[in-house]
Amino acid sequence: MSDDVLDKDQAPPPREALEDNRLTGAFVDEVTDALAAGDTARVQELAEPLHPADIADLIEQVEPHERQQLAAALGDVLDADVISEMNEVVREQLIDVLDAGQVADVVTQMETDDAVAILEDMDEEDQAEVLRSLPADERAAIEEALSYPEESAGRLMQRDLIAVPEYWTVGQVIDFLRQAGDDVTSDFWEIFVVDPAHKPVGTMRLSLVLRSPRNVLVTDLMNREQTLIPVDMDQEEVALRFQKYALISAAVVDPSGRLVGVVTVDDVVHIIQEEADEDILRLSGAGDGDINDSVREIVSTRLRWLVVNLGTAIIASIVIGFFAGTIEKMVALAILMPIVSALGGNAATQTMAVTVRALATDQLTEANTRRTITKEIRVAVINGAAIATLVGVVAGLYFANVHLGLVIATAMIGNIIVAGLAGVMVPLTLDRMEVDPAVSSPVFVTMTTDVMGFLFFLGLAAATGLTG
Amino acid sequence: MSDDVLDKDQAPPPREALEDNRLTGAFVDEVTDALAAGDTARVQELAEPLHPADIADLIEQVEPHERQQLAAALGDVLDADVISEMNEVVREQLIDVLDAGQVADVVTQMETDDAVAILEDMDEEDQAEVLRSLPADERAAIEEALSYPEESAGRLMQRDLIAVPEYWTVGQVIDFLRQAGDDVTSDFWEIFVVDPAHKPVGTMRLSLVLRSPRNVLVTDLMNREQTLIPVDMDQEEVALRFQKYALISAAVVDPSGRLVGVVTVDDVVHIIQEEADEDILRLSGAGDGDINDSVREIVSTRLRWLVVNLGTAIIASIVIGFFAGTIEKMVALAILMPIVSALGGNAATQTMAVTVRALATDQLTEANTRRTITKEIRVAVINGAAIATLVGVVAGLYFANVHLGLVIATAMIGNIIVAGLAGVMVPLTLDRMEVDPAVSSPVFVTMTTDVMGFLFFLGLAAATGLTG
């Protein structure tokens, strides 16, 4: 959250620009038409009443090759607020074409966390150039933030906050706030209370400060139960704390316990979405796919995973190859094979998705792991038996071969049980090894279910003399 | 957010109970040991210092059959705050065993939105009984909330809020807040400004109120740009607005524009997580799976999807069946088939995941749809060509059959292009038809890629006389 209240006397933006919270195609066309006609005044007129988040959307919505032109046409309408709101990928593309001086101008208008978000994605050289163009105190703040690990609280936090001594009264707090000038932020939701060593001892909700008479002591009003965020805590962990304890803001402390910054919930809201999306995309082998990535970036991520999956598919084919003779004698086996691998794969994916998300949201812990695994086995046995019966009957009837029906039924139940087990054990093991289960599980899990599925099916067929 | 500040003089909870934000197995064991020994005093002693969210976790972590006993042992420690924090599934199980009077007791201590969350999941009979046991004004508030659609703003909102007239000054606002008694909430982050018809005209951040001198007029301080939430807006939409405009709270209005309630960001944070999780689980065919569901619930959800997938797998098998003669003549086809279907399936899943999430987060709109589809086709062509070359070479060499290599390469590139197209077109079409793309896409997409994959591969083999 950067600036104060927006232009307070401004009427709400024209609602025709938005429908269901998205910019309409018609509005975007109007802007691009004005752009093509070189009518920058019209472009600004259309964009100016919009909320910065919507102006950012507008830039993301136009064709990539038009974005620079639009940025130039928008002029001052494209301010620091808009840039903070932009999708990361599109913002990088835009920043790339600005020179260091222009970037520095934009950055000086931002809060430290927004400034860091821009600078951290730049090349080292460009980043250094921009930093040199900044006023000394801003540069110091940003360099400090960059010294913290990526995706940590230190990069998320704001330094501007309100901290008052324990021995003050409500009256003194209000006087301080009223008399403070522009260098004290108006962007806070709670007031931190610190001891002489600048270590947080409590927080005060503004609503309580407003409701209390002036003579009430801060120590009597504050909440001592506070969630302190270590400066190097991972952002996903920060987000989970906010969610768990219903926080609006939280104090960030350095290793010695001193208050160094504050994280507010709106930064965290954005992370929760991102982290969940990451898991979906990684589970599908789409990497960190963003709808704005270039063709090259998309190809490089997805192709990597397709090649890995090709590897596991080849392993499965090798297993089938062992049974080439068996298949030659009964083509029904080839016809039914996809059913075995498809169902095993689906059962495994279901289990894997639930497990990965339960791990990510701290719902799967030491205390309930054994119980969860036992439950998954029971579910797999029941589902396996049901599907196996269905498939066995259908296959047996269609090919008029009871033995075949029994073989596929047995293979199916075995495969679904293995799939259920793999779907829960693989993510759990990877998590214990501190490897991201969303990225790595799919490969191991599908390989297991495919190989075991074909082994069961074709192996049973051969072993029980199905093909004579 | 229900009560005010927690017991302010209470020291922070013993940190040994928690590690990495989760209750340790050792702590949970201590509690269950005390429970087994019938030592309710010890159980309360252990649980009492914890934050309500952690007490809720404790109840979720113990074995299901121990939960009722633990609930009884906790006594007053298991208060309304704890119940609001509990996982939905576990809370339902617990509420089930309470009688209407007990439920009513708990509910009266809660804010309307938390009370509604409990009551909306109850059977109609039980719900009616509880409502009868409530004081008239609470019953009215809850019945009103229940009259709104499920998962809408009307059910999420609080009725307790601070609304002041436009013509007041900051001084009058502060005086009002100081003099108001306990029936005015202390749980607010912004103050709404209303016209005589009780329609919101602006909001005031508390930080600005605190910083302004008493004589400043409310109309000069307030932000007229506000996000109004219609009372029947879907909760996912509400969450997206909060995220997009970095809101802390937002006014909820009825169809005539009157202010009826407020939604705060902490309710929304929880929804963002839920909605993202739902998509992951639906894309995997795991329905609305929760780690606490009973075996029966899990089976019923997943089995349904396994049967549906069985249907699509059978369709694929039928397609293979057409080419039984071809396969009989060349078993290499049966050995290579899984590679074609696996790669097609993976490519489709990658695309589908990105598309579904882009739709859910309003990033895929009218304005950039054509561009996205074009990009997906280009990615599919490049990836398809790369994989096809790899597979063609490996297969051709392994089976010493150039014709076979060419056939599988051609089939592969065709399949990956179809997969990419299906992965983006199916979710888009379903979304336009207002059907949830996360639930329905996987079935259609996998059916398409499997059928087309086998058709391409085996059809080409037959048509080009590969098997003589």
Side-chain angles (χ1 to χ4, degrees):
Chain A
M1 288 192 288
S2 36
D3 267 15
D4 264 352
V5 163
L6 296 143
D7 182 3
K8 301 187 285 291
D9 287 332
Q10 170 179 298
R15 283 299 161 203
E16 306 80 30
L18 294 159
E19 195 185 287
D20 284 339
N21 206 30
R22 309 172 192 177
L23 296 170
T24 61
F27 179 80
V28 177
D29 286 341
E30 243 191 294
V31 172
T32 47
D33 287 345
L35 195 65
D39 190 354
T40 52
R42 178 72 182 142
V43 169
Q44 293 192 10
E45 190 189 342
L46 285 167
E48 213 257 329
L50 298 175
H51 188 284
D54 290 314
I55 300 176
D57 271 358
L58 177 61
I59 298 172
E60 289 157 22
Q61 297 288 326
V62 301
E63 301 284 323
H65 63 84
E66 288 175 317
R67 281 185 192 137
Q68 247 181 278
Q69 199 188 351
L70 178 58
L74 286 171
D76 287 338
V77 175
L78 177 55
D79 60 12
D81 284 343
V82 172
I83 293 182
S84 318
E85 297 281 353
M86 281 170 70
N87 168 286
E88 228 177 75
V89 175
V90 175
R91 186 172 61 206
E92 270 184 70
Q93 294 166 358
L94 218 61
I95 298 281
D96 264 348
V97 300
L98 298 176
D99 63 48
Q102 290 171 303
V103 177
D105 280 342
V106 166
V107 159
T108 36
Q109 301 170 48
M110 296 177 157
E111 298 277 10
T112 317
D113 59 336
D114 292 327
V116 166
I118 291 187
L119 284 162
E120 67 187 0
D121 289 329
M122 297 177 83
D123 291 331
E124 275 205 50
E125 281 185 29
D126 297 334
Q127 196 188 86
E129 236 196 295
V130 172
L131 284 170
R132 274 195 296 274
S133 320
L134 291 171
D137 54 345
E138 300 213 30
R139 177 168 64 236
I142 293 176
E143 282 176 337
E144 195 205 325
L146 288 170
S147 73
Y148 299 119
E150 269 195 68
E151 302 202 337
S152 68
R155 295 231 183 159
L156 276 184
M157 72 185 186
Q158 309 260 47
R159 278 157 188 62
D160 287 336
L161 49 86
I162 307 289
V164 301
E166 296 180 84
Y167 51 82
W168 276 15
T169 62
V170 165
Q172 284 172 291
V173 173
I174 294 182
D175 292 339
F176 163 69
L177 289 172
R178 283 203 185 122
Q179 288 150 23
D182 279 340
D183 51 330
V184 165
T185 180
S186 290
D187 191 6
F188 57 96
W189 303 92
E190 296 178 302
I191 294 175
F192 296 106
V193 183
V194 291
D195 66 10
H198 210 70
K199 296 187 184 181
V201 293
T203 59
M204 293 191 297
R205 279 201 195 174
L206 297 187
S207 53
L208 289 178
V209 172
L210 272 173
R211 293 204 61 184
S212 302
R214 290 183 55 97
N215 61 342
V216 170
L217 290 170
V218 158
T219 40
D220 290 337
L221 194 61
M222 69 186 189
N223 180 6
R224 283 168 205 274
E225 188 168 297
Q226 39 178 1
T227 302
L228 301 176
I229 310 278
V231 83
D232 56 357
M233 179 180 274
D234 184 79
Q235 67 179 21
E236 189 167 15
E237 197 55 46
V238 174
L240 285 172
R241 299 274 165 123
F242 266 72
Q243 199 179 329
K244 185 178 185 183
Y245 298 118
L247 304 173
I248 296 291
S249 62
V252 182
V253 293
D254 68 11
S256 69
R258 294 184 73 244
L259 176 64
V260 291
V262 58
V263 176
T264 39
V265 66
D266 58 320
D267 290 316
V268 151
V269 153
H270 146 81
I271 287 168
I272 289 181
Q273 175 100 281
E274 266 184 23
E275 295 282 341
D277 276 352
E278 262 180 23
D279 274 358
I280 298 185
L281 298 178
R282 286 173 181 171
L283 275 172
S284 322
D288 290 329
D290 183 288
I291 202 103
N292 293 294
D293 283 333
S294 66
V295 169
R296 169 185 303 194
E297 286 166 329
I298 299 177
V299 163
S300 96
T301 311
R302 295 193 201 172
L303 191 52
R304 187 182 320 158
W305 286 106
L306 286 177
V307 169
V308 169
N309 278 294
L310 179 58
T312 62
I314 286 175
I315 293 174
S317 286
I318 289 172
V319 169
I320 298 172
F322 291 149
F323 299 97
T326 313
I327 299 174
E328 274 178 321
K329 289 188 228 154
M330 184 186 263
V331 75
L333 294 174
I335 294 174
L336 293 172
M337 262 168 32
I339 297 181
V340 179
S341 61
L343 270 294
N346 286 324
T349 306
Q350 289 173 338
T351 314
M352 190 171 58
V354 174
T355 309
V356 167
R357 285 309 290 165
L359 283 167
T361 56
D362 281 345
Q363 296 204 70
L364 189 52
T365 68
E366 276 185 315
N368 65 3
T369 293
R370 205 159 58 103
R371 184 164 88 225
T372 303
I373 295 175
T374 314
K375 197 156 51 174
E376 287 297 338
I377 295 174
R378 285 162 70 188
V379 167
V381 168
I382 297 174
N383 282 349
I387 294 289
T389 310
L390 212 51
V391 172
V393 165
V394 168
L397 284 176
Y398 186 79
F399 290 99
N401 187 331
V402 174
H403 189 172
L404 175 61
L406 286 169
V407 165
I408 194 173
T410 315
M412 189 65 92
I413 191 173
N415 197 19
I416 288 184
I417 292 175
V418 165
L421 261 173
V424 68
M425 298 300 308
V426 170
L428 263 172
T429 314
L430 289 169
D431 187 63
R432 294 288 148 88
M433 290 162 48
E434 312 226 335
V435 174
D436 181 356
V439 182
S440 340
S441 304
V443 176
F444 293 113
V445 171
T446 33
M447 183 166 68
T448 309
T449 55
D450 282 350
V451 164
M452 294 310 290
F454 292 133
L455 254 180
F456 280 152
F457 185 43
L458 301 172
L460 263 173
T464 59
L466 175 60
T467 53
Chain B
M1 291 191 287
S2 34
D3 268 15
D4 264 351
V5 163
L6 296 142
D7 182 6
K8 300 188 287 292
D9 288 331
Q10 167 182 297
R15 284 299 161 203
E16 307 79 34
L18 293 158
E19 194 184 289
D20 284 339
N21 205 31
R22 310 172 192 176
L23 296 170
T24 61
F27 179 79
V28 176
D29 286 341
E30 240 191 298
V31 171
T32 47
D33 287 344
L35 196 64
D39 190 353
T40 52
R42 177 71 182 145
V43 169
Q44 293 192 7
E45 189 190 344
L46 284 167
E48 212 259 330
L50 297 174
H51 188 283
D54 290 313
I55 300 176
D57 271 357
L58 177 62
I59 297 172
E60 288 157 24
Q61 296 290 324
V62 301
E63 301 286 322
H65 62 84
E66 288 175 317
R67 281 185 194 140
Q68 247 180 277
Q69 200 188 351
L70 177 58
L74 285 172
D76 288 339
V77 175
L78 177 53
D79 62 12
D81 285 344
V82 173
I83 293 182
S84 315
E85 296 282 355
M86 281 171 68
N87 169 286
E88 225 176 77
V89 175
V90 175
R91 185 171 62 205
E92 270 185 71
Q93 293 166 358
L94 217 60
I95 297 278
D96 264 348
V97 299
L98 299 176
D99 63 47
Q102 291 171 303
V103 177
D105 281 340
V106 166
V107 160
T108 36
Q109 302 169 49
M110 295 176 156
E111 297 278 7
T112 317
D113 58 336
D114 293 326
V116 166
I118 291 187
L119 284 163
E120 68 187 358
D121 288 328
M122 297 176 84
D123 290 331
E124 276 205 49
E125 280 184 32
D126 296 335
Q127 196 189 84
E129 234 196 298
V130 173
L131 285 169
R132 276 196 294 276
S133 319
L134 290 171
D137 54 346
E138 299 211 33
R139 177 169 65 235
I142 293 175
E143 282 177 339
E144 194 204 327
L146 289 170
S147 73
Y148 298 120
E150 271 195 68
E151 302 200 339
S152 68
R155 295 230 183 161
L156 276 184
M157 71 184 187
Q158 308 261 47
R159 279 158 188 65
D160 287 335
L161 49 85
I162 307 291
V164 301
E166 294 179 85
Y167 52 82
W168 276 17
T169 61
V170 165
Q172 284 172 290
V173 172
I174 293 180
D175 292 339
F176 163 69
L177 289 172
R178 285 205 185 122
Q179 287 149 21
D182 279 339
D183 51 330
V184 165
T185 182
S186 290
D187 191 7
F188 58 97
W189 302 94
E190 295 178 302
I191 294 174
F192 296 107
V193 183
V194 291
D195 67 8
H198 210 70
K199 296 187 184 182
V201 293
T203 58
M204 294 193 295
R205 281 200 195 177
L206 297 187
S207 54
L208 289 179
V209 173
L210 272 173
R211 293 203 61 181
S212 302
R214 289 182 58 96
N215 62 344
V216 169
L217 290 171
V218 157
T219 41
D220 290 336
L221 194 61
M222 69 186 189
N223 180 6
R224 281 167 207 277
E225 188 169 296
Q226 40 178 0
T227 302
L228 301 176
I229 310 281
V231 83
D232 56 358
M233 181 180 273
D234 184 81
Q235 65 180 22
E236 190 167 13
E237 197 55 45
V238 174
L240 285 172
R241 300 275 165 122
F242 265 73
Q243 198 178 331
K244 185 178 184 184
Y245 298 119
L247 304 174
I248 296 295
S249 63
V252 182
V253 293
D254 66 12
S256 69
R258 294 184 73 242
L259 176 64
V260 290
V262 58
V263 176
T264 37
V265 66
D266 57 320
D267 291 318
V268 152
V269 153
H270 145 82
I271 287 168
I272 288 183
Q273 176 101 280
E274 263 183 26
E275 295 282 340
D277 277 351
E278 262 179 24
D279 274 358
I280 299 185
L281 299 179
R282 286 175 181 169
L283 274 171
S284 323
D288 290 330
D290 183 287
I291 202 101
N292 292 294
D293 282 333
S294 66
V295 168
R296 171 187 298 198
E297 286 164 332
I298 299 176
V299 163
S300 98
T301 310
R302 295 194 201 171
L303 191 52
R304 187 181 321 158
W305 285 106
L306 286 177
V307 170
V308 169
N309 278 296
L310 178 58
T312 61
I314 286 176
I315 292 174
S317 286
I318 290 172
V319 168
I320 299 171
F322 291 149
F323 300 97
T326 314
I327 298 174
E328 275 179 318
K329 289 188 228 155
M330 183 185 265
V331 76
L333 294 174
I335 295 173
L336 294 172
M337 262 167 33
I339 297 180
V340 178
S341 62
L343 270 294
N346 287 323
T349 306
Q350 290 174 337
T351 314
M352 190 170 60
V354 174
T355 309
V356 166
R357 285 310 289 167
L359 283 167
T361 56
D362 281 344
Q363 296 205 68
L364 188 51
T365 69
E366 277 184 315
N368 64 3
T369 294
R370 207 159 56 101
R371 183 165 87 224
T372 303
I373 295 175
T374 314
K375 195 157 53 173
E376 286 297 337
I377 295 175
R378 286 162 68 188
V379 167
V381 167
I382 297 174
N383 283 348
I387 294 289
T389 310
L390 212 50
V391 173
V393 163
V394 168
L397 283 176
Y398 185 81
F399 291 99
N401 187 330
V402 175
H403 190 172
L404 175 62
L406 286 170
V407 165
I408 195 173
T410 315
M412 190 66 91
I413 191 172
N415 197 21
I416 288 184
I417 291 175
V418 166
L421 260 173
V424 68
M425 298 299 308
V426 170
L428 263 172
T429 312
L430 290 170
D431 187 62
R432 295 285 147 90
M433 290 163 50
E434 313 227 332
V435 175
D436 181 354
V439 182
S440 338
S441 303
V443 177
F444 293 114
V445 170
T446 33
M447 184 165 68
T448 308
T449 55
D450 283 349
V451 165
M452 296 309 291
F454 292 135
L455 254 180
F456 281 151
F457 184 43
L458 301 172
L460 263 172
T464 59
L466 176 60
T467 54

